[in-house]
Amino acid sequence: MAKGRAKAAAPAQHHGYEFGGPLGTLGISIGLPLVCYLTAFLCNDVSGCPVPSVLHPSQLSLETLKRDAGWPANGVLGLINAKAFGSTLAYYFLSAVLQAVLPGEEVQGVSLRSGGKLNYKFNSFNTAVLTLGVALAGTIAQGPDFALWTFMYNNYVPILTSNLIISLLFATFVYVRSFSVKAGNAEHRELAEGGHSGNIMYDWFIGRELNPRITVPILGTFDIKTWCELRPGMLGWLLLDCAFVAHQYKVYGYVTDSIILITLSQFIYVLDALYMESSMLTTIDITTDGFGFMLAFGDLVWLPFTYSWQARYLAVYPVNLGILGTVGVLTVQGLGYYIFRSANNEKNRFRTNPKDPRVAHLEHIKTKSGSTLITSGWWGRARHINYFGDWLMSWAYCLPTGISGYIIQRHSSGVEVTQGEARGWGMVVTYFYMLYFAVLLIHREMRDEEKCTKKYGKDWEAYKKKVPYRIVPGIY
């Protein structure tokens, strides 16, 4: 489990509140789940995206809104059902079993404040390949009527609620269990530096324990944070995309280039992340943040259910891009991926072996703490250049939806889906990811800057003079 001699971790100082403190974290904990539900109901396959009643606020009534939104007849009880919750639990259990039994990469994490390093086993890529392979076989056999796709599409909201409940349980479990952390323990358990302010709400949200682990009989030991980071949610994102593609084919008899493009782009992004799974050990999520509701909800709910909004939209309102449109989106996607992966590879190679011929030419600053800051190559263009590539890729997820919005009209002869007066208003949903992701990356960059300023001091100031731009070279 862990190697190195255990010692008492250096006393962690209170680093001040983030996210607006207790009130801010309370608002986020309530507000973000509401965003997921509002999008699920106000952009739907019942009446439109957005629903018609929202376009005429002067005529808006609760009954009309509930009808247009497809609100369950049994009210909030319809937000979940036993089959969806049981199936979601089975999905998590399968992921845990595959984590235990499939071969994987055995690596050590970074050095801890308490001394030593934790051991990790990573096989998310193998898990995804096996799971998607089985899903592919089912699709070949049953087409768009494959039970997995129809179940996920028809139970979208109950599955969303199931994952929300699981994230709440995870956050509460690790919060309560964190009070059993003792100084100098042999398991190298320690509290996150910013996660024990003494305020229950804030610490529950941010996460008190840095690397909570649990031992399951037969299956072995699981690192809860890294397990949640890339396993259930990331693979769930791809499965939701596939369910939406299957629905489009089932309803229209064809699959558009736009939904194929989005799905393939997201497949590349996710499978790349899973293949490079061990690289997350040096990210701020793993090295600094505790595991609380922020990461549990973000990994298990927010990521799969908001990042797949575009595919869900296109499942109901198909968009054909044509050759020029497809080339344009692919160009943006390719540029973003090239910057993102090239920058990260450059950094990882330099950290692993500075004498590697591919990175030996890079200029750098040797800090008093012993670390090295690269001042040329990709990292000489901006201090967080990888974030720029990541953000460019988010454009490619949104652009295929075009100027979005649709209205569903039901006639005696059938159902007609047109844009009508909803044209443009759907962009609030389909382009939300691009704007949200920019805010997320800027906030993360600000956290990185604060952390590095404290860690490197004057060396960081010297680094900023050599590399003045934060994310976008020449702009920001």
Side-chain angles (χ1 to χ4, degrees):
M1 260 182 47
K3 290 187 178 181
R5 187 175 179 181
K7 64 179 182 180
Q13 300 175 352
H14 178 42
H15 284 229
Y17 288 133
E18 295 184 88
F19 302 100
L23 287 179
T25 54
L26 174 62
I28 294 171
S29 300
I30 296 173
L32 292 189
L34 283 177
V35 169
C36 294
Y37 283 113
L38 285 172
T39 305
F41 284 108
L42 298 183
C43 180
N44 60 41
D45 59 359
V46 176
S47 62
C49 180
V51 297
S53 52
V54 172
L55 299 176
H56 303 281
S58 61
Q59 305 172 19
L60 185 63
S61 70
L62 181 58
E63 289 305 313
T64 302
L65 182 60
K66 289 168 67 175
R67 181 199 64 205
D68 287 353
W71 183 251
N74 57 341
V76 294
L77 295 178
L79 298 180
I80 192 170
N81 59 60
K83 191 171 183 180
F85 188 66
S87 298
T88 304
L89 286 178
Y91 168 69
Y92 276 73
F93 180 70
L94 174 63
S95 183
V97 170
L98 294 178
Q99 159 81 10
V101 302
L102 290 180
E105 180 186 12
E106 304 277 351
V107 298
Q108 283 191 330
V110 299
S111 297
L112 300 168
R113 288 185 297 114
S114 57
K117 300 179 179 180
L118 294 174
N119 294 329
Y120 296 87
K121 175 186 177 182
F122 292 130
N123 61 9
S124 291
F125 183 80
N126 297 339
T127 298
V129 170
L130 177 60
T131 305
L132 293 170
V134 172
L136 175 62
T139 305
I140 292 173
Q142 299 180 358
D145 292 317
F146 178 45
L148 177 62
W149 308 142
T150 56
F151 180 79
M152 292 185 72
Y153 189 87
N154 294 333
N155 289 275
Y156 178 80
V157 170
I159 294 173
L160 164 63
T161 305
S162 299
N163 281 278
L164 175 59
I165 291 173
I166 291 171
S167 68
L168 288 166
L169 292 175
F170 263 132
T172 303
F173 169 75
V174 296
Y175 174 77
V176 172
R177 189 168 176 266
S178 70
F179 289 94
S180 65
V181 175
K182 305 296 182 184
N185 64 85
E187 295 82 16
H188 295 293
R189 294 178 64 195
E190 62 183 59
L191 300 181
E193 290 188 331
H196 51 108
S197 67
N199 182 279
I200 296 176
M201 178 67 229
Y202 183 82
D203 293 346
W204 173 82
F205 176 84
I206 291 292
R208 290 189 86 247
E209 189 169 353
L210 183 63
N211 298 299
R213 294 187 161 205
I214 185 173
T215 299
V216 180
I218 301 177
L219 298 181
T221 299
F222 292 85
D223 185 280
I224 297 175
K225 183 163 65 171
T226 56
W227 189 83
C228 288
E229 187 86 1
L230 291 180
R231 294 187 71 87
M234 291 286 266
L235 180 56
W237 176 12
L238 297 187
L239 294 175
L240 283 169
D241 277 354
C242 290
F244 298 140
V245 172
H247 181 79
Q248 187 188 78
Y249 184 80
K250 184 176 182 177
V251 172
Y252 295 98
Y254 60 85
V255 177
T256 58
D257 50 9
S258 57
I259 199 169
I260 290 175
L261 191 55
I262 284 178
T263 302
L264 285 178
S265 296
Q266 295 179 347
F267 258 71
I268 292 171
Y269 180 84
V270 171
L271 292 178
D272 175 75
L274 300 184
Y275 187 78
M276 304 292 292
E277 187 175 12
S278 61
S279 65
M280 73 171 159
L281 291 177
T282 58
T283 64
I284 192 172
D285 286 357
I286 306 302
T287 63
T288 305
D289 292 335
F291 184 78
F293 184 70
M294 177 179 72
L295 289 181
F297 173 80
D299 293 340
L300 308 179
V301 183
W302 186 257
L303 184 146
F305 289 93
T306 65
Y307 288 20
S308 59
W309 280 351
Q310 294 82 16
R312 183 169 178 259
Y313 170 88
L314 293 170
V316 181
Y317 184 76
V319 173
N320 288 297
L321 298 174
I323 295 177
L324 290 179
T326 300
V327 170
V329 173
L330 284 174
T331 300
V332 174
Q333 170 76 12
L335 177 62
Y337 180 78
Y338 172 70
I339 294 173
F340 175 79
R341 182 48 59 202
S342 297
N344 282 336
N345 283 345
E346 184 179 79
K347 180 178 66 175
N348 288 333
R349 284 169 183 155
F350 191 84
R351 284 181 173 177
T352 303
N353 179 18
K355 296 182 180 180
D356 186 320
R358 292 170 292 184
V359 294
H361 65 283
L362 294 176
E363 298 176 7
H364 58 274
I365 295 175
K366 192 72 174 179
T367 68
K368 293 179 181 179
S369 65
S371 301
T372 303
L373 300 173
I374 304 172
T375 58
S376 66
W378 281 111
W379 299 93
R381 293 180 172 90
R383 300 195 292 274
H384 306 277
I385 187 68
N386 56 330
Y387 290 175
F388 179 48
D390 214 359
W391 185 59
L392 279 180
M393 283 190 283
S394 75
W395 284 59
Y397 304 158
C398 305
L399 291 173
T401 62
I403 302 176
S404 54
Y406 60 80
I407 295 291
I408 298 177
Q409 298 175 319
R410 302 180 187 278
H411 311 288
S412 57
S413 57
V415 177
E416 183 182 13
V417 184
T418 60
Q419 289 203 287
E421 61 182 352
R423 177 179 167 82
W425 291 105
M427 296 175 73
V428 174
V429 173
T430 60
Y431 286 80
F432 172 84
Y433 172 68
M434 186 180 75
L435 297 176
Y436 151 77
F437 202 50
V439 173
L440 174 70
L441 291 175
I442 291 173
H443 178 262
R444 181 174 293 177
E445 173 267 326
M446 292 171 66
R447 296 182 73 205
D448 289 345
E449 289 284 320
E450 182 181 1
K451 173 190 171 186
C452 291
T453 298
K454 291 178 179 178
K455 181 177 181 180
Y456 301 119
K458 292 182 179 180
D459 289 327
W460 188 253
E461 294 302 318
Y463 172 64
K464 289 197 295 184
K465 290 180 180 179
K466 285 182 172 289
V467 187
Y469 295 105
R470 294 169 179 259
I471 297 176
V472 185
I475 299 177
Y476 174 75

